[in-house]
Each structure stands twice: as structure tokens, then as C-alpha cells.
Amino acid sequence: MASPAPLLDIRGLTKRFGDYVAVDGIDLALAAGEFFCLLGPSGCGKSTLLRMIAGFEPPSAGTIHLAGSDITALPPHRRPVNMMFQSYALFPHMSVAANIGYGLKGLNRVEAGARTLAMLRLVRLEGFGDRRPDTLSGGQRQRVALARALAREPNLLLLDEPLGALDRGLREETQGELRAIQRRLGTSFVVVTHDPEEAMMLADRIGVMERGRLVQVGPPAELYRRPVSRYVAGLLGDVNLIPGRAGPEAGEGVREVVTAHGRVRASSGASLAEGAEVVVAVRPESLVLGGEGLPATVDDAVFLGDRVRRSLTLPDGTVLRASAAPAGGLGAGGATSVRFDPADAVILPA
Amino acid sequence: MTVLTRSALILGLGFLYAPIAVLIVYSFNASNLVTVWGGLSTQWYAALFADGPLIAAAWVSLRVAILSSVIATALGTLAALAFERHGRFRGRSLLTGLVFGPMVMPEVMIGLSLLLMFIGIGLDRGIATIVIGHATFCTGFVAVVVSARLRGLDRSLEEAAADLGAGPWRVLTTVTLPLLTPAILAGALLAFTLSLDDLVIASFVSGPGATTLPMRLYSQVRLGVNPEINAASTLLVGLVSTAVLGASWLTARRTGDRP
């Protein structure tokens, strides 16, 4: 089955500021209707990438195609994409309705008025049309910014840290709302965020950026279970790293790792030479106590309601965190063993 | 506030403003002698408005100030936009220096060089040459005020407008200029005041029939101070302070561009 042509197709996109490479040869294809998150720490180039798609930064190299046509050289006002700014960038000298209607110059007055009203309804701000932005709360301003960016019915909406300025409770509520609006309109969203939890909550696919490069792209579950590096593994949640050396293959996609306390089996992602220094990455909930495994001592156990978190130490001092359903009591203290299913552990370069 | 700081404040303000206060008080003096107090009177204001040449000079000053501040505001705003919104073009530093230069150059030098230029190109001296001279040095002041505001303006506002399909001209007229209006008006008031105050440059480049108010007052004082001058000066002080207060109010006013 031939996959449909991507809505957004980025090839070899690079941005240099003098000697500094902010974005380094990014390839990325986005399907229509997809919710994509660019995740990374500040300064990783994710905002620069977004600004290049919007047209505010001319790329140093590479191309951007939108719906089949090359938009690399188009100025921002000729691109059929819209952007929601981190600061919201609402025009302070215009009413809410004038802000939302700013991009509707091509429509006649009646159509523009109707579209503005529909947008106000979409973000549940009916009756706020005559207000000035500075009389609104942070959450309301955020919704006006979203309505303004969506008013032109773009195929692709870019959102730069859309929830960054909201406080915690409001942020979680707004995440759900953002996702509902995206589902309803079928618009492709590209969200830039530094918050892994937010990315997992929102996105169909996440692209993790590190120092100007896209290090891994995939659905949240894939990134969580099969990270390609220690960096990605640590970014998406708590992870245990057990050092060792790569051993021989032990079946389909599984190989042995020789640790200080014996051999373990784990899934091998990248091809690694035998004897190479590696780490085995295991999520806390994948560690199982007891049975045949690595010798370990339980140092501490904390009851957290839905789970028990245990802190374990291997004989060489490596500390592991295990998390399990609270069946069978706490079982704190004492020697035990720890094991994991090879399918739940992944071998990564050290 | 301690006694020390309070007295320092009073002394400082006194040092700056006592002469002007004396001038204002003596403009209401009934006596013919400038230095002798003879009771309260507004006769010198009446005399002032009956003084034909002085009123004519005031009109010249007003026309020069309005024309030159309009020109300086337009040029200064354009210069500020070029400095702050058009990146690093060739000759940017040179242009910056050239615009701000006249602010720090001695006025005598500006006046002299303008005079030489006007003679060189054969331009008849009069109101037009004073307007050109004033616009020259006021442009820098407007550029400074407008640049400061532009630097403080969130760039993403203009980017958002462009993102919503507005071409450069629409961005400028519907977003940038409306948000700059307080700074542009403040710059215009500043230019107006500077032009109204100027004596040196006007003296160099004026011609017959184009005597500004400061020139008129100065030449009268050389023949002897009379209380009428006090009255004229008081009105001038009032006008200038109103303009300066208006300018600082416009500059300080919150315009709500913060998120």
C-alpha cells in the first residue's frame, strides 16, 4: 500500500548562526491530521526549526515542502501555515475579535464576522469579542491566541510552547482541550515543548531533539519502550541503567550482556560489536523481584498507593529503582534477586 | 526622608529652578524697573500682546517649530525603523553615527556649517533654512526616542501579523506604527520644544524677515531688560514645560504590549 504524500516534508534542513549550528540536517515528514511534538531541552534547536517552517528564519540549507509545493523561499505572509507564539503575541491595541479577525482580510465582512464568532465559540470565549487582551486572564489569552492562529483554517498549525505560561492545573485541562480541538478540526499540529509528560500526553508522534539533531522519532510508547540512546531513555521517564559488555546474540533481536554479576538478556536495537561497552536500560516497572536473576539487596520500600517503589542495590553498588503493584506487602530489607523480560529491556551504547 | 536628603533636594531644585521662579514672579511686577517690586499686575502681558514685532517673531517660531518637528519626526521614525528592524545592512554604523552626530556636535558648528552650505548652494535664507536647520538636529532626538520604544517592542507581534498573512506594509501600518504612536508623539513634542528654544542655529541661518522669538528676545535684552521680556519668557517656559511633560507622559504610559 502506497503511503499518501506527506503534508509537510522537510529535507536536510540546516540553520547556522555563524559557526554555531542550531539545526543540523533535519529530515522529517508529517502526515495530514497528525499531532507531532518536538521535544528537547532549551537551546536544542526546536524553536529554530519551528521558526524556519513558519518562515521567520531562512534556512542555511535544505528544503521545506508543504502539500507538495516548495515553500522554502516563501516569506511568512505567503505561507499557508500559522503559528501560535509562546508569548501569544496578541495585538494589545485591538479587541479580541479584531485580533482573531486580523488574518481574515481575504474574506468579506460578513464571512469574516461569522468566522470570528465561530472561533470564539470553538475556544469557549463567546461574549469576549469586545474585550482588550490585557483584560483577560492568562488562560483566556492563550485561547484567543489559538483561535487567531486557527482562524485562517491552516493545514498546519505550529505551536511554540503553547502551555508554557499556564500554571499546572490549567495546563493539564488545556492539554485535553488542545487535543480535542485538533481531533475535531483535523489540522496537523506541530508543538514545541520541553516537557516530556506534555509531549506524551499530546502527541501521536514525538521527535526528540538534541543539539540540533532529531535523535529519535516515533509514537510515545515506542520512544518509551525502545529508546535509541540513554538521553532519550532518561528524558521520557525514570530508567535503570545496568552497565556491561555486549555478548553474543541470543535469538531474534535479543542478545546477551555480560554484567559484573552475571549474564542478562535484553533487546538489541542498534548493531553493536561484541565486547562493546553498553548499558541495559530497564524501566522501574519492568524489574521483577525474586527468581533467577541478578543478586540484589532491597534498601528501601515506599508505599505509594497504586504501587510500591523499591530501591535496590547490586553488589557492585549500582542502585536500581523498581516499581510494582503493592500485592504481597512491602517486603523491605534483605537479599533477593532481580530479573526482567528481555522484551522489556533494551541495550544502549554506554 | 531625613533632614539631610530633604535639604539637599530643596537646595538642588532651588539651584535649578530659582532663576526661573524669579523670572515668573517679576513678570507680574507692576514696576517699570525689572529689579524693583512694585505690586502685582498683568500689564506686561497686555503690553506683550500689543508688541507687533514680538508677536510676529512668536508666529515665526511657531511655524518653524511645527514644520521642523513634522519633518524631524518623519525622518527620525524612518531612521529608527531602519536601525532596529532591518538587520545589519551596509553602512548601518555610519548612518547611526550620522543621525546621532548633530545631537552632540556644538550648535555653533552646526549653525556655521549649515550657513556655509546654504550660501554654497545659493538658497535664500529665511524660514525655510531655519526649518531645515532645526529638522537636522531634531531628527536624532526623535530617532533616539523611537528606537528605544522599538527595542522594547515584542518582535513576535510583528511576526504574528506577518504569519496571519499581512505583507510588510500592512504590518507596519496596523501593528508597528500604532504601537509606536506614543513614542512618535513624544519625539515630535521633543523636536517641537528644541526648535522653539533654539537661538544659536536660528541666528546663523535666518535671513531678513525671519526672526524667531528667542532671537527677538535676545536682541531686546541687549538693549536693556524690560518686564515685557519676563512675560514673554514666562509664556515660553509654560509652553515648553507643557510639551516636555506631555512627552514624558507619553513615553512612560503603559501601552499593554506585555503578555
Side-chain angles (χ1 to χ4, degrees), chain A residues 235-303:
Chain A
L235 192 63
L236 293 191
D238 200 3
V239 70
N240 295 300
L241 300 170
I242 305 167
R245 287 183 182 281
E249 293 220 19
E252 187 72 26
V254 176
R255 62 193 296 173
E256 283 194 341
V257 172
V258 185
T259 73
H261 311 294
R263 291 167 180 260
V264 294
R265 289 179 176 194
S267 309
S268 58
S271 58
L272 290 160
E274 209 170 313
E277 297 228 19
V278 295
V279 290
V280 178
V282 199
R283 298 286 174 193
E285 67 273 18
S286 301
L287 285 180
V288 182
L289 298 193
E292 200 179 316
L294 301 172
T297 316
V298 179
D299 296 324
D300 192 20
V302 186
F303 178 68

Side-chain angles (χ1 to χ4, degrees), chain B residues 128-216:
Chain B
T129 49
I130 307 179
V131 168
I132 293 171
H134 284 181
T136 309
F137 84 98
C138 290
T139 297
F141 288 92
V142 177
V144 167
V145 174
V146 177
S147 292
R149 178 89 188 111
L150 256 177
R151 265 197 297 279
L153 204 64
D154 185 359
R155 259 318 251 282
S156 59
L157 290 170
E158 287 153 290
E159 288 177 346
D163 186 66
L164 293 167
W169 179 252
R170 186 161 176 241
V171 174
L172 182 72
T173 53
T174 60
V175 176
T176 316
L177 287 181
L179 292 174
L180 283 180
T181 305
I184 293 172
L185 286 179
L189 282 179
L190 197 61
F192 181 82
T193 312
L194 289 166
S195 165
L196 211 58
D197 281 350
D198 171 69
L199 169 67
V200 179
I201 295 176
S203 306
F204 272 100
V205 298
S206 81
T211 305
T212 65
L213 190 58
M215 286 167 69
R216 178 82 203 164

Side-chain angles (χ1 to χ4, degrees), chain B residues 8-195:
Chain B
L9 184 69
I10 290 168
L11 275 176
L13 288 176
F15 178 71
L16 289 172
Y17 293 107
I20 295 176
V22 168
L23 175 122
I24 292 171
V25 168
Y26 273 97
S27 73
F28 295 101
N29 189 357
S31 162
N32 265 331
L33 297 164
V34 174
T35 48
V36 179
W37 182 252
L40 204 62
S41 157
T42 52
Q43 61 165 309
W44 300 115
Y45 288 90
L48 177 68
F49 286 107
D51 185 338
L54 199 70
I55 296 298
W59 276 119
V60 168
S61 266
L62 209 58
R63 274 155 66 198
V64 166
I66 289 171
L67 284 172
S68 62
S69 59
V70 166
I71 296 171
T73 304
L75 291 178
T77 304
L78 288 176
L81 285 169
F83 296 150
E84 300 297 328
R85 285 296 184 264
H86 288 273
R88 317 207 143 271
F89 53 89
R90 253 176 93 87
R92 183 177 181 270
S93 310
L94 182 68
L95 187 62
T96 314
L98 289 178
V99 169
F100 297 140
M103 291 169 62
V104 290
M105 253 189 265
E107 287 190 324
V108 176
M109 228 181 81
I110 301 176
L112 189 60
S113 56
L114 282 169
L115 176 64
L116 292 176
M117 186 191 77
F118 291 141
I119 292 172
I121 62 175
L123 192 61
D124 281 340
R125 276 160 291 142
I127 286 186
T129 49
I130 307 179
V131 168
I132 293 171
H134 284 181
T136 309
F137 84 98
C138 290
T139 297
F141 288 92
V142 177
V144 167
V145 174
V146 177
S147 292
R149 178 89 188 111
L150 256 177
R151 265 197 297 279
L153 204 64
D154 185 359
R155 259 318 251 282
S156 59
L157 290 170
E158 287 153 290
E159 288 177 346
D163 186 66
L164 293 167
W169 179 252
R170 186 161 176 241
V171 174
L172 182 72
T173 53
T174 60
V175 176
T176 316
L177 287 181
L179 292 174
L180 283 180
T181 305
I184 293 172
L185 286 179
L189 282 179
L190 197 61
F192 181 82
T193 312
L194 289 166
S195 165

Side-chain angles (χ1 to χ4, degrees), chain B residues 180-256:
Chain B
L180 283 180
T181 305
I184 293 172
L185 286 179
L189 282 179
L190 197 61
F192 181 82
T193 312
L194 289 166
S195 165
L196 211 58
D197 281 350
D198 171 69
L199 169 67
V200 179
I201 295 176
S203 306
F204 272 100
V205 298
S206 81
T211 305
T212 65
L213 190 58
M215 286 167 69
R216 178 82 203 164
L217 293 181
Y218 184 66
S219 62
Q220 274 193 20
V221 168
R222 296 210 307 188
L223 303 173
V225 182
N226 73 40
E228 194 186 316
I229 306 276
N230 289 347
S233 307
T234 301
L235 290 180
L236 202 56
V237 165
L239 188 60
V240 168
S241 359
T242 309
V244 170
L245 283 176
S248 47
W249 180 74
L250 284 168
T251 316
R253 197 167 62 140
R254 202 185 102 86
T255 42

